[in-house]
Amino acid sequence: ARWKNVTLLDSSNVWPMPLAKVGKSIGLEKMEMDVESEEYVFRDVEIVIEAMALAERICIQYGADMKSTLGSISISIWQAGVIGGVNWQSTMEDIRNAYYGGRVELFRTHAKGDNLYYTDINSLYPAMMLNKFPDGDDQYFDCETLAEAKALFLSDEELYGVIHCDVDIPETIRVAPLPVKREGSGEVCFPVGPASGWWTVHEVRYALSKGCALKKFRDAYGSRTGSYYYRSFVETFYRLRKEELDKPQPDEGKTLFYKLLMNNLYGQLGMKGSVTRSIHLTSDMVEVDEEGEMHLTRQGIPFGTKLLTDIAIPLPEHVNYLHAAYVTSYGRLKLMSYMDQVGAENLIYCDTDSLFFV
């Protein structure tokens, strides 16, 4: 927010958690609420100042500029000279159609007994960013016929990208392999039967290996080569976090911030071209119906003379929907590898990076 020549920045955009948790991580416990206590108020301010100073020191250490959000800080450090990261922009809506979230699914409504287990994948999305990613979205796949497409996707040839195709998922498959967006709601499900959609090459190849059939090849964007765009960043902060945790008295503030940096780099790749802002609510944004009721002509939340609404902004150069789609796709495939080990008949529930099973 801005007021005259003063700019106010929200520290929760850098430390997105309750102040008590921030304070605990940096060794400054938040006190019991007492708004009349100078000591209580001072401690709250002290926590914010020390936490922001820690974030700035880490930025300086890696040759990056301090930013106002955690996501922009992670990008700033990734692009700085010490770690040196660079990718390329990919913002086609067709490619974004292959960008799904984590897999969340209930396989049975209840289970009880002494043989119930839970497992969690350590830092799933940062770990997936250690893999190779497409080098472009414009390299020709040489698929003029369905037979050529089948031969290519069933081969061991290196290939990265997203494809638009029709597949048939047999009902004999106990755990359906491909995410599909329901028409209308956009809700993601994992069906059997005929399905059409956009998926990464790796996810389609996995589906074909499980017995799914490629029925029609429609379109594709990608490359025949891949590179390690994010490996150095993830390996650096994973190592630093582990080294800190192994110390007799670890700096919990650092370990938490290292974890936040790794998790937030991925989110920047798939960001949309809009930001929420407050704008002046003008008369052309309001219309009155025959019954005298007022309606907004623009999406948003009115408050006083302002409207909280989404404003279109140019997408930063680092936004890459193809890479974002691959991060979550790699994550779903990693989760599926553990489902395969557990066995479909033993699954209870999965949620992005975890499994409950018998």
Side-chain angles (χ1 to χ4, degrees), residues 97-98 100 161-167 169 178-180 195-204 332:
N97 287 331
Y100 304 85
V162 296
I163 62 174
H164 186 198
C165 60
D166 297 353
V167 297
I169 306 167
L178 294 173
V180 174
S196 179
W198 287 87
W199 299 287
T200 66
V201 169
H202 287 61
E203 218 159 10
V204 170
R332 288 189 298 274

Side-chain angles (χ1 to χ4, degrees), residues 18-319:
L19 192 63
K21 184 174 180 179
V22 178
K24 184 177 181 180
S25 72
I26 61 174
L28 291 172
E29 295 283 349
K30 183 174 168 61
M31 298 177 178
E32 288 293 321
M33 179 178 284
D34 180 2
V35 295
E36 302 299 327
S37 165
E38 184 175 309
E39 187 180 17
Y40 163 79
V41 175
F42 185 88
R43 172 54 61 88
D44 274 10
V45 175
E46 187 180 20
I47 292 171
V48 173
I49 290 174
E50 290 300 323
M52 296 300 285
L54 171 59
E56 186 170 31
R57 286 196 299 273
I58 292 173
C59 287
I60 293 170
Q61 182 180 353
Y62 288 93
D65 294 328
M66 178 65 177
K67 303 292 185 178
S68 59
T69 69
L70 188 54
S72 56
I73 288 174
S74 65
I75 287 292
S76 180
I77 293 176
W78 172 63
Q79 292 178 333
V82 178
I83 296 176
V86 62
N87 61 0
W88 45 277
Q89 192 179 67
S90 175
T91 57
M92 294 175 59
E93 275 304 310
D94 277 350
I95 292 176
R96 191 175 175 85
N97 287 331
Y99 180 26
Y100 304 85
R103 182 167 190 157
V104 180
E105 194 164 9
L106 184 68
F107 298 99
R108 62 174 79 180
T109 55
H110 69 278
K112 58 185 178 179
D114 298 328
N115 60 340
L116 305 182
Y117 292 86
Y118 162 82
T119 187
D120 177 89
I121 302 170
N122 186 5
S123 297
L124 175 64
Y125 286 161
M128 296 305 97
M129 294 176 80
L130 297 172
N131 293 316
K132 281 186 175 181
F133 287 81
D135 286 328
D137 58 16
D138 57 353
Q139 295 182 26
Y140 188 48
F141 278 24
D142 298 326
C143 296
E144 295 292 341
T145 66
L146 180 60
E148 290 175 342
K150 286 181 178 179
L152 178 61
F153 297 129
L154 289 171
S155 73
D156 294 330
E157 184 177 343
E158 191 171 21
L159 194 67
Y160 302 86
V162 296
I163 62 174
H164 186 198
C165 60
D166 297 353
V167 297
D168 186 58
I169 306 167
E171 293 186 11
T172 53
I173 289 183
R174 296 288 300 276
V175 182
L178 294 173
V180 174
K181 293 176 182 175
R182 296 182 190 275
E183 290 186 17
S185 69
E187 182 185 31
V188 175
C189 59
F190 291 82
V192 295
S196 179
W198 287 87
W199 299 287
T200 66
V201 169
H202 287 61
E203 218 159 10
V204 170
R205 281 179 158 172
Y206 174 81
L208 297 181
S209 75
K210 287 297 180 181
C212 297
L214 184 63
K215 292 297 185 180
K216 188 170 185 176
F217 175 76
R218 297 177 179 272
D219 208 351
Y221 299 100
S223 65
R224 289 183 176 272
T225 60
S227 299
Y228 297 108
Y229 289 87
Y230 313 103
R231 172 171 278 192
S232 177
F233 179 92
V234 174
E235 285 182 338
T236 297
F237 287 104
Y238 195 89
R239 173 179 54 79
L240 288 171
R241 185 167 186 264
K242 188 176 185 305
E243 288 174 356
E244 194 65 43
L245 287 170
D246 288 342
K247 292 179 180 178
Q249 292 184 309
D251 186 326
E252 294 184 16
K254 282 185 177 180
T255 63
L256 177 58
F257 201 72
Y258 292 154
K259 179 179 180 180
L260 293 172
L261 285 175
M262 289 189 289
N263 287 331
N264 277 267
L265 181 62
Y266 143 70
Q268 287 287 301
L269 302 177
M271 66 184 292
K272 290 185 177 181
S274 65
V275 64
T276 304
R277 292 278 188 265
S278 63
I279 62 174
H280 288 290
L281 185 59
T282 57
S283 57
D284 62 324
M285 297 180 192
V286 180
E287 63 179 19
V288 181
D289 62 21
E290 294 178 353
E291 297 177 356
E293 291 192 18
M294 291 190 296
H295 302 276
L296 289 175
T297 60
R298 176 170 182 160
Q299 288 286 336
I301 302 172
F303 62 101
T305 60
K306 299 279 189 172
L307 181 72
L308 196 65
T309 187
D310 290 338
I311 305 288
I313 59 170
L315 285 169
E317 288 299 314
H318 62 260
V319 171

